[in-house]
Amino acid sequence: MKPQKSKIDLILERVPPIISWTLITMPFWGGFLFPEFTANIVIFFNVYFLYKSISLTLFIFLSYLQLRSNDSINWLRRLEELDDPQKAFDLLEVRYNDVKSSKYSEQLIKKSRYYPDSFEKIWHRILFLFAKRKSLGFIKSEQNRLSEVMNNPPSIDWKELRHIVIIPHWKEPLTVLEDTIKRLKNLNYPTHKISVVLAAEARDPEGIEKSHLLKQKYSEYFEHIWITEHEMQEGDLIGKSSNMAFASKELNRLINELNWDPKLVTITSCDADSQLPSDYFANLTYYYIFDQDSIYKFYTGAVQLYANIWRLPFFARVKNSMSTIYNVGRLIRTDKLVPFSTYTTSFWLIKEIGFWSPDIVPEDFHTFCKALFKFPAKVATVPLFQKIMSDAAEGEGSIDTIKNNYFQERRWSWGISDDGWIIKNMIKSVLTGKATLRSLYISGHIVFDHISGVGLALLVSLGGNIPLLINPRFANTVVGFNLPIVSSFIIQITLLFFVLMIIVDSLMKPTIPGKMTFKRRILLLLEWIVQPITSIFMVTIPGFEAHTRLLFGKYLEYYLTKKKD
């Protein structure tokens, strides 16, 4: 279905793909017409690529540490402590004194065949002192946190907060949907405060039947399980967003009937295969009740395409590992963070912006931008360092897997179709005086990332040599002679940070089935040799197909990532 758009909308939506194609082809025509200017542009993007590589390496490492730290926190216990923080503080004081008075005992030492007794005693004493100091520091930090809680208590009683999870689905296997419901049932959080919406499509009768089966089987575990059936209306685009739009409007009616306060209701957009971690809602609730502006915030976790990672062919593993590295690393950049795939916000905010839009494909950042342009000084995204496992695109064989990964990447790159709307709203917000530097910075970054993200690696890889091949006379100049040398040097530096990213990625991945031998470790590392090839065929080419389709008005609809039973 081709959307009806005004002339100004059609002009603005073509600006980003025009810029994208201009940049990627510049080494060809620019190397002939403006060789020195083109060389400077290539060097600029080489330096920018180096900056992106260094920053992403740092961010993925910091995110990994945050994920590790979060794993050790019992968020539900933190919420329960709010009922009587003084009691919790006193219990920590007792525990602190017990740890402080503990003494080292040589009876704890286990004999070793490899080291003399004297070495074992010294080593174990060092470990004991280190563990004791670490425990005392942790207890003291928890006491400081509780002191802060008593001085600045939350503005909302956590027991008053309700959560709704919308699971839009179309032709999803029953086992995939049931696994998602089971994970919600087993959350480390009172599930009687959670309601589930199984948002089916009317054009998928089997999906409606599956929804009723799941409701019958699991309704006792949740406050409510509601089922919605989305029928396509004029102006709707097939996909997640139109389904979410219909389901959220139905929810509005139900919430009004139940007389719930929309500001005390969160709503989570949960993909059918998203495995929410057990502490997701406890962590979310803790942040929500302490933030005075929580009703304006979006909350997004670390989406990791690892749920089926060891079933994938090696080339698909590499491609989806890079996507995961980006998804996890970006959580550190809270200044420009936008929600992705599975995320949460207040139902009040969704209602204020007129619910999800039924006529777009990239529903996550579009919904965020609708809120950002309406409340430019308030809306932001808060990172939750919780691992949300999702399936990577998969097929029945290697060819089918390549096809599904290609189509998924093309759908993600179709996010550029929303950039004309973003540019239009940026201009309107400036003209009406509603814009803030922050709102322009975030929305501008979205547009820039869509333009540069697809072809940047290709421009950096080939841009240093193509102008010399196109214009041999330019190769004899000082700038022409140094261009490939400088470009190659920068690329070599980025390889070092690429290796560091691979190491962190290996630490984040779930344990591989079977025995991990030395040979197997080497083979897993060698897989990354194909990364440049997978990047071209499963990222760059589908990305430029999406950009080209938009340029010529060949609109895409939502592509469902295939799942295996």
Side-chain angles (χ1 to χ4, degrees):
M1 183 186 299
K2 186 172 181 179
Q4 299 297 318
K5 298 185 178 182
S6 66
K7 287 185 178 180
I8 188 66
D9 289 332
L10 292 172
I11 292 171
L12 288 175
E13 77 174 10
R14 283 164 171 74
V15 170
I18 287 173
I19 296 174
S20 178
W21 269 109
T22 300
L23 285 175
I24 197 64
T25 58
M26 178 175 273
F28 294 93
W29 57 267
F32 182 75
L33 298 174
F34 315 105
E36 290 196 6
F37 175 76
T38 300
N40 288 326
I41 293 294
V42 170
I43 293 298
F44 169 80
F45 278 104
N46 270 267
V47 173
Y48 176 72
F49 188 69
L50 176 61
Y51 156 74
K52 291 285 287 185
S53 300
I54 295 172
S55 60
L56 183 56
T57 303
L58 175 62
F59 297 155
I60 187 65
F61 179 69
L62 293 176
S63 289
Y64 168 72
L65 294 180
Q66 288 273 31
L67 288 168
R68 286 283 302 270
S69 175
N70 245 27
D71 283 344
S72 64
I73 298 174
N74 187 330
W75 289 97
L76 180 59
R77 181 184 298 166
R78 285 194 170 185
L79 290 172
E80 292 169 342
E81 288 173 346
L82 299 177
D83 298 335
D84 191 347
Q86 185 60 56
K87 180 181 177 182
F89 184 94
D90 294 340
L91 289 173
L92 283 173
E93 187 65 27
V94 173
R95 185 179 166 195
Y96 182 89
N97 291 328
D98 288 344
V99 173
K100 188 175 182 180
S101 62
S102 62
K103 302 295 183 184
Y104 173 76
S105 172
E106 292 185 359
Q107 294 178 354
L108 299 174
I109 298 178
K110 293 181 180 180
K111 296 292 183 180
S112 171
R113 295 182 301 167
Y114 305 105
Y115 304 109
D117 289 349
S118 57
F119 178 84
E120 285 289 306
K121 291 177 181 178
I122 296 172
W123 178 241
H124 278 83
R125 186 179 289 273
I126 292 172
L127 290 178
F128 172 81
L129 293 173
F130 176 79
K132 181 177 178 179
R133 183 176 180 181
K134 185 177 179 180
S135 296
L136 291 173
F138 174 76
I139 295 170
K140 187 56 68 176
S141 67
E142 287 294 284
Q143 286 184 311
N144 291 337
R145 178 182 60 80
L146 286 169
S147 295
E148 182 66 24
V149 166
M150 288 185 279
N151 292 328
N152 299 285
S155 56
I156 302 171
D157 183 348
W158 72 277
K159 294 177 182 176
E160 295 179 358
L161 200 62
R162 285 183 164 90
H163 303 282
I164 298 176
V165 182
I166 301 184
I167 306 174
H169 62 94
W170 179 62
K171 294 187 177 181
E172 299 285 355
L174 178 62
T175 53
V176 171
L177 289 170
E178 187 163 15
D179 285 346
T180 302
I181 296 290
K182 282 180 179 177
R183 291 192 67 95
L184 291 174
K185 176 178 79 74
N186 296 324
L187 289 169
N188 183 33
Y189 191 82
T191 54
H192 67 273
K193 288 292 185 181
I194 297 176
S195 297
V196 178
V197 180
L198 292 167
E201 292 281 1
R203 56 200 170 89
D204 178 23
E206 289 185 6
I208 297 169
E209 291 177 15
K210 293 169 188 174
S211 296
H212 285 286
L213 284 171
L214 293 171
K215 179 177 181 178
Q216 184 178 6
K217 190 173 181 179
Y218 293 100
S219 59
E220 64 181 288
Y221 300 104
F222 302 98
E223 185 168 14
H224 299 281
I225 291 185
W226 291 306
I227 297 172
T228 60
E229 300 176 18
H230 170 230
E231 292 187 5
M232 293 293 293
Q233 304 294 320
E234 185 178 355
D236 284 9
L237 282 181
I238 293 174
K240 179 181 175 182
S241 193
S242 58
N243 195 345
M244 293 287 292
F246 177 80
S248 57
K249 290 170 185 175
E250 286 292 294
L251 272 177
N252 185 51
R253 178 179 60 80
L254 293 167
I255 287 173
N256 288 337
E257 289 176 0
L258 293 167
N259 201 28
W260 289 357
D261 183 352
K263 294 183 178 180
L264 296 177
V265 178
T266 75
I267 186 164
T268 297
S269 168
C270 180
D271 286 354
D273 64 326
S274 289
Q275 302 176 14
L276 292 178
S278 61
D279 275 337
Y280 181 86
F281 283 103
N283 191 172
L284 165 68
T285 300
Y286 193 87
Y287 283 179
Y288 192 94
I289 62 177
F290 276 100
D291 189 342
Q292 296 292 329
D293 293 324
S294 56
I295 57 174
Y296 299 98
K297 301 298 172 58
F298 287 77
Y299 300 83
T300 191
V303 177
Q304 300 181 330
L305 305 175
Y306 288 158
N308 61 340
I309 194 70
W310 300 121
R311 292 204 310 259
L312 299 176
F314 68 94
F315 54 85
R317 259 202 307 273
V318 170
K319 185 263 182 187
N320 286 285
S321 292
M322 284 304 300
S323 296
T324 298
I325 287 171
Y326 174 76
N327 288 338
V328 176
R330 72 192 187 92
L331 294 180
I332 295 295
R333 287 296 302 270
T334 55
D335 59 320
K336 63 171 187 172
L337 184 62
V338 297
F340 173 71
S341 182
T342 295
Y343 53 93
T344 302
T345 189
S346 70
F347 190 80
W348 175 87
L349 183 60
I350 290 296
K351 186 177 178 180
E352 284 293 307
I353 63 174
F355 309 100
W356 276 268
S357 298
D359 57 348
I360 54 98
V361 173
E363 115 291 338
D364 38 22
F365 70 82
H366 180 91
T367 305
F368 171 81
C369 285
K370 281 177 70 175
L372 180 67
F373 289 128
K374 182 156 188 176
F375 304 104
K378 296 280 190 179
V379 170
T381 303
V382 177
L384 297 178
F385 288 94
Q386 298 283 340
K387 302 173 188 174
I388 301 175
M389 291 290 186
S390 293
D391 285 335
E394 187 177 11
E396 294 301 327
S398 294
I399 299 300
D400 205 30
T401 299
I402 291 174
K403 182 180 74 171
N404 288 333
N405 274 274
Y406 182 99
F407 288 149
Q408 183 187 61
E409 192 65 40
R410 187 181 66 175
R411 188 193 83 202
W412 287 346
S413 296
W414 190 245
I416 198 171
S417 64
D418 225 30
D419 288 357
W421 174 84
I422 292 176
I423 294 170
K424 180 180 178 180
N425 279 276
M426 289 172 68
I427 295 171
K428 284 173 62 176
S429 65
V430 171
L431 294 178
T432 57
K434 288 185 65 176
T436 64
L437 286 176
R438 185 178 152 278
S439 67
L440 295 175
Y441 171 78
I442 295 173
S443 52
H445 251 294
I446 293 173
V447 175
F448 177 77
D449 288 344
H450 286 160
I451 292 171
S452 65
V454 170
L456 179 60
L458 196 62
L459 176 64
V460 168
S461 301
L462 304 179
N465 294 300
I466 290 176
L468 309 185
L469 298 175
I470 297 294
N471 190 345
R473 291 177 59 187
F474 176 59
N476 296 322
T477 66
V478 174
V479 176
F481 177 79
N482 286 301
L483 176 61
I485 298 174
V486 174
S487 182
S488 176
F489 176 69
I490 293 175
I491 291 173
Q492 289 173 25
I493 297 175
T494 62
L495 289 176
L496 170 62
F497 294 97
F498 181 65
V499 171
L500 295 176
M501 280 190 276
I502 293 173
I503 293 172
V504 178
D505 171 73
S506 67
L507 296 174
M508 291 194 303
K509 276 192 173 80
T511 304
I512 187 171
K515 187 178 180 181
M516 177 58 78
T517 62
F518 178 75
K519 179 181 178 181
R520 203 173 187 184
R521 289 183 187 276
I522 296 299
L523 290 175
L524 288 174
L525 288 174
L526 290 176
E527 289 179 357
W528 287 91
I529 293 175
V530 303
Q531 197 278 330
I533 299 173
T534 60
S535 178
I536 291 173
F537 287 99
M538 289 196 285
V539 177
T540 302
I541 293 178
F544 273 107
E545 183 193 340
H547 290 202
T548 305
R549 280 176 171 272
L550 180 63
L551 188 60
F552 292 100
K554 306 296 183 181
Y555 294 97
L556 286 173
E557 290 188 345
Y558 191 89
Y559 175 79
L560 175 69
T561 303
K562 302 293 191 301
K563 313 292 190 316
K564 273 192 174 183
D565 288 318

